[in-house]
Amino acid sequence: SYVLTQPPSVSVAPGKTARITCGGDNIGRKSVHWYQQKPGQAPVQVIYSTTDRPSGISERFSGSNSGNTAALTISRVEAGDEADYYCQVWDSLIYHCFFGGGTKLTVL
Amino acid sequence: QVQLVESGGGVVQTGRSLRLSCAASGFTFAVSPMHWVRQAPGKGLEWVAFLSNDGTTDTYADSVKGRFTISRDNSRNTLYLQMNSLGADDTAIYYCARDREDGSFDFWGQGTLVTFSS
């Protein structure tokens, strides 16, 4: 099993930058994916392969990964960014997926 | 456009079985690996199962291994999840999701809810 650790909550003022971390053993060697989930809705992918944005996702969303910490950065935060965010990795040796516990982003 | 529509959820009693379906459209289903992911009320996402595009490779989370079976019918563009020996811990919204072919999920259905009655 591979454990991914996220902070339960992050708060940020509108217009500022939010950074949501995802910790894991040598996660810097892995490809990390991120999802946004708003209340009552299905998750939406916002970053794949650590740094790539799916079509239609704002360039304000970016990803990074090094050592034991991956991060999702949201610049110029807007009220509409308030949601739960999940990191995820795929183990291609055993074909298993692992999710972080999720981080609730609050826009003050 | 890509659409995934789950069905088959409902209220079940402990120990009973249920089969979920996920109807796919808007893409070539037969070349896409697929997953089931669940979310218990107020909790985070939990991966449940994976199935390769041709149905030859399937894997499961430890919490469901031996009880759940993922399958697909490429001629019907449909993914299934057979759930046996259900318990209260299986209460969740069940989502099907398409694999981007890098182990990430680029499209998700709206989910189907499985709940329990005592």
Side-chain angles (χ1 to χ4, degrees):
Chain A
S1 184
Y2 186 72
V3 178
L4 295 172
T5 301
Q6 297 181 238
S9 63
V10 168
S11 298
V12 62
K16 300 299 185 182
T17 298
R19 185 172 185 265
I20 298 171
T21 58
C22 177
D25 185 38
N26 284 317
I27 195 173
R29 298 183 180 183
K30 300 180 182 295
S31 187
V32 181
H33 318 290
W34 292 90
Y35 304 88
Q36 175 194 70
Q37 186 181 34
K38 296 182 179 180
Q41 298 183 19
V44 172
Q45 188 175 59
V46 293
I47 292 289
Y48 68 97
S49 298
T50 302
T51 58
D52 293 337
R53 277 188 313 277
S55 173
I57 299 301
S58 171
E59 62 180 15
R60 298 185 298 106
F61 289 82
S62 62
S64 61
N65 190 15
S66 178
N68 292 318
T69 304
L72 172 70
T73 300
I74 310 171
S75 59
R76 303 183 302 281
V77 167
E78 303 170 355
D81 297 330
E82 192 163 277
D84 293 326
Y85 291 86
Y86 295 90
C87 60
Q88 178 246 323
V89 300
W90 174 251
D91 188 325
S92 57
L93 294 180
I94 61 172
Y95 285 81
H96 269 58
C97 165
F98 301 98
F99 282 105
T103 297
K104 181 176 179 58
L105 177 67
T106 299
V107 181
L108 302 171
Chain B
Q1 71 281 20
V2 173
Q3 276 200 312
L4 298 169
V5 180
E6 302 93 337
S7 61
V11 181
V12 295
Q13 293 181 321
T14 299
R16 302 302 291 268
S17 299
L18 205 60
R19 188 177 83 156
L20 307 182
S21 299
C22 170
S25 61
F27 67 100
T28 306
F29 180 72
V31 303
S32 295
M34 298 291 294
H35 300 257
W36 286 97
V37 177
R38 70 183 181 182
Q39 186 171 36
K43 302 297 185 182
L45 301 174
E46 180 188 15
W47 172 75
V48 173
F50 160 84
L51 186 62
S52 60
N53 66 299
D54 59 3
T56 59
T57 301
D58 59 339
T59 57
Y60 301 88
D62 289 345
S63 58
V64 306
K65 193 170 185 179
R67 299 188 300 123
F68 289 12
T69 301
I70 187 173
S71 63
R72 63 195 296 159
D73 184 339
N74 286 343
S75 67
R76 296 177 181 270
N77 290 343
T78 303
L79 180 73
Y80 302 101
L81 185 67
Q82 178 67 42
M83 306 187 295
N84 299 331
S85 302
L86 287 163
D89 287 349
D90 297 313
T91 294
I93 296 172
Y94 285 75
Y95 297 100
C96 66
R98 189 180 80 166
D99 192 309
R100 183 184 279 278
E101 296 191 34
D102 62 355
S104 74
F105 313 117
D106 59 352
F107 287 97
W108 299 63
Q110 85 291 346
T112 187
L113 178 62
V114 176
T115 57
F116 283 82
S117 169
S118 57

